[in-house]
Amino acid sequence: MARLYLYDDKRSIFHSILGFASAFLLVYGLLVLIIFTVYEVREKEAPVATVGDVVEFLIGYVAGLAVVVWIALGFYTPP
């Protein structure tokens, strides 16, 4: 069974930051996710490292969506 490597290099933090920032793009963030996934698949590295990079992106994306929802609920005032 292969081990999944998360945050194994300096670029890993960038993957999470990119995911976090793309969450604020809402619908276009999914486009960024697709482009990022295609880029990672085309990159010449081990498949386990590619999956790890995509998971790092998704961790940042989910954290960004949580912040977006928190901000949206903060601005909502019931009648």
Side-chain angles (χ1 to χ4, degrees):
M1 182 168 181
R3 289 185 56 188
L4 182 65
Y5 295 100
L6 294 176
Y7 299 103
D8 56 346
D9 58 358
K10 293 180 181 179
R11 291 181 3 190
S12 298
I13 300 298
F14 176 72
H15 296 151
S16 292
I17 291 171
L18 180 64
F20 185 85
S22 67
F24 288 89
L25 298 174
L26 299 178
V27 176
Y28 297 110
L30 296 176
L31 181 64
V32 173
L33 172 63
I34 292 169
I35 292 170
F36 179 77
T37 304
V38 168
Y39 169 76
E40 286 295 327
V41 168
R42 293 180 55 96
E43 196 175 32
K44 302 293 184 209
E45 63 182 7
V48 174
T50 300
V51 171
D53 292 343
V54 173
V55 169
E56 293 162 356
F57 180 89
L58 290 175
I59 289 170
Y61 189 77
V62 168
L65 283 178
V67 170
V68 168
V69 169
W70 180 68
I71 290 171
L73 291 177
F75 289 118
Y76 174 73
T77 55

